[in-house]
Amino acid sequence: MNQFADYNPIIMSIIKTNNLERFYTEGDVTVKALNGVSLNIEEGEFTAIVGPSGSGKTTLLNVIGGLDSPTNGAVEIANTEITNMKDNELIDFRLKNIGFVFQAYNLIPVLSALENTEFIMLLQNQPKEKRHARAIALLEEVGLKDQIYKKPNEMSGGQQQRVAVARALASKPKFVLADEPTANLDSKSTGDLLDIMLELNEKEKTTFIFSTHDQRVIDRAKRVITLEDGKIISDETK
Amino acid sequence: MIFKIAWRNIWRNKLRSLVVMIAIFLGVWSGIFINALSLGMTNQRTENFLSTSVGHIQIHHPDFLEENKLNFSIPNFDELNNNLLNINGANISNRIRISGMISSANGALGGNVLGITPEDEIKVSTIHNGIKEGEFLGEYKKNRVVIGAKLAHKLKVKINSKIIVTFQDQNNEIIASAFRVQGIYKTANTRFDEMNVFVYRQDLERILQSDQLIHESVLWMDDKTIVDSTITALANTYPNLKVRSWKDIAPDLAYTDDLMIQMLYIIMIIILGALAFGIVNTMLMAILERQRELGMLMAVGMNKLRLFMMVVVETIMLSLISGPAGLIISFFTVGYFKRNGMDFSAVGQGLEDVGYSTIVYFEMQPSFYWSTLVLVIITAILSSLYPAFKALKLNPVESIRGL
């Protein structure tokens, strides 16, 4: 049964969640990380999911990204319900549809910026020339043209996060999920990263959804969804 | 890219990887070193045994082996000898073999008296090469004897000393005959040296008044591979004679030879099995350290097969850097000791008592190097499985958060 049968958004959405619940049991206590979250995210949005620690931001991103399964409810990405997919199907789906940026950058330390960016395309079995050209173009776009042969440990945190953004975009995903992307960055690096993400969003209509409690990010987001105790308490579009 | 990542991952923790690589290197090297030493010792022991007097094939009257009496000589010896001479690559020595008492003024010991034709004997045995004092039998001099160093020592005889050989003749009459020591030999087998003396066959024929009294025909084949077929042919032609290979004469040596090949593999498998635990431990530590990275790889879309292969390839690379290095170095080490030998003089007496040489020349079959390489690869693959399965079980969300 299609769980979105009663859900009737006015505009075609890239991400739809319907009454998402995610409960964790710790001993005798059940924690409701997500408690009935329904939302629509359209193509080209630049959305911040905000809220205090433990409000369910990261859990929501994980469930939307197919890294975690909801206890109840469903997630539909570009008209495909991912909730009941098997592990291998989900991995393949993520590879083709979702870009990820992590708080701790999580680049492969033994690969250069160029190789890190190419890596996702390699997993997609793209030809060498094509992935090489796209990786260079993306690194140029995030302002790292001169750093492409540097390893992560030779780069600053801001530079590493920009490589992570380039990597996330390399596979031409339908959207990018970024979990606290600026948490480890200083204010200049945060500003630079936001500039790049906004530019990509505006020029190439790349959809960004990020969790954050960084006010600088919240200020520049076009839509801010606020979570508290696993529930959406506000959803503002600027 | 998986190969590139695997290769670079090996060098992320140089010390840890080097420790494992050195362990594999030493394991492979020491395994082959020990095996080559053991194989060299065993083969030399067999070779010593065969070349002292046994040869590859022996022919006797069937009852001679049971009762050891002079009467049981080889019947129709001339016909047999003519046929033996026609076998290509066969060196033949025909012996009169008598058991008796060998005595000097200082004592007496039981032993074997071998009546030989020296020019034939030197083609089937190396006794003449082991002469320490005097000389081997050659140009005929009446009643000369060559005795083992151990026997000479026990009887306290020197060159030109006289010894008395006492034995029963064909009519069970006791005969005693005096021989003068012409040479003292020493082989790698002190037991043999203590038990056997060599005299001219014609002396025994004269003493026994018979020139048809051959008890033992010994054949040394230039080509060892035709030993079995030659035995089969001789046994078919002479069903009334006992035709035996050295493996029948010394089944313990033949068994040791066969067992040795299996032992080489068993030793190497035990060594590599122990190393496998080291490899598994190293890879488990590597995976534990890289949880976050592996979680990220799963999150961004690396499928399980690729992740599994990445760990397997890294483990195989780790093993294959040092395994072949161990093989190459052991090849040269074995080559050196094959040419120069390893001197065990410090424990020489003990070794010689059981038939081993004091200088051991290493031996190793070339195929064993390849087999060891295959074993290293199999060890690497087996060692990679557990860490690789561990990696597959990681939860991407927990791994990325470093839980």
Side-chain angles (χ1 to χ4, degrees), chain A:
Chain A
M1 181 183 157
N2 186 350
Q3 297 192 54
F4 295 92
D6 301 330
Y7 200 77
N8 187 22
I10 298 165
I11 302 167
M12 197 68 165
S13 303
I14 196 165
I15 300 168
K16 294 181 204 170
T17 74
N18 182 27
N19 199 27
L20 275 186
E21 291 179 333
R22 181 64 173 102
F23 303 153
Y24 298 103
T25 304
E26 289 175 8
D28 297 333
V29 181
T30 299
V31 178
K32 293 181 177 179
L34 296 177
N35 191 7
V37 174
S38 297
L39 60 82
N40 269 349
I41 294 177
E42 294 161 21
E43 193 175 354
E45 281 196 18
F46 196 75
T47 301
I49 298 170
V50 303
S53 291
S55 59
K57 304 186 294 290
T58 299
T59 304
L60 179 58
L61 288 194
N62 286 340
V63 172
I64 289 172
L67 297 173
D68 198 359
S69 302
T71 309
N72 293 302
V75 178
E76 193 177 291
I77 308 287
N79 298 322
T80 304
E81 190 178 335
I82 65 167
T83 324
N84 297 318
M85 279 185 178
K86 291 176 181 168
D87 268 5
N88 278 334
E89 291 173 330
L90 266 176
I91 289 172
D92 196 45
F93 187 84
R94 288 199 296 267
L95 179 64
K96 290 173 181 164
N97 296 285
I98 308 172
F100 288 91
V101 177
F102 305 99
Q103 180 179 335
Y105 330 131
N106 286 14
L107 300 176
I108 301 171
V110 293
L111 298 183
S112 66
L114 180 64
E115 290 165 335
N116 263 291
T117 311
E118 273 189 63
F119 189 71
I120 302 287
M121 292 182 279
L122 179 88
L123 295 178
Q124 291 178 323
N125 296 321
Q126 290 191 26
K128 189 177 179 182
E129 293 74 22
K130 191 178 171 185
R131 62 176 194 249
H132 192 74
R134 179 158 172 78
I136 288 177
L138 283 166
L139 287 168
E140 196 173 339
E141 220 164 335
V142 297
L144 294 173
K145 189 183 177 185
D146 301 329
Q147 317 281 332
I148 60 173
Y149 296 114
K150 283 191 175 173
K151 299 260 176 70
N153 62 355
E154 297 165 333
M155 304 168 92
S156 69
Q159 287 172 328
Q160 287 187 56
Q161 198 61 302
R162 279 189 271 163
V163 175
V165 170
R167 179 181 66 185
L169 294 170
S171 60
K172 295 186 177 170
K174 293 194 165 58
F175 60 92
V176 173
L177 292 175
D179 186 13
E180 309 251 11
T182 60
N184 293 346
L185 303 183
D186 57 32
S187 49
K188 183 177 184 312
S189 299
T190 298
D192 290 345
L193 187 71
L194 283 170
D195 288 344
I196 288 162
M197 289 164 76
L198 272 168
E199 193 178 334
L200 287 165
N201 172 253
E202 281 163 12
K203 278 188 184 169
E204 299 183 16
K205 300 297 173 202
T206 307
T207 309
F208 281 94
I209 303 115
F210 40 88
S211 68
T212 186
H213 50 298
D214 184 336
Q215 194 55 47
R216 293 164 299 185
V217 181
I218 296 167
D219 290 345
R220 297 181 71 173
K222 295 174 183 172
R223 179 182 174 188
V224 178
I225 299 169
T226 307
L227 287 181
E228 195 173 291
D229 296 332
K231 290 181 177 174
I232 295 177
I233 57 167
S234 74
D235 186 348
E236 295 173 31
T237 304
K238 297 176 186 173

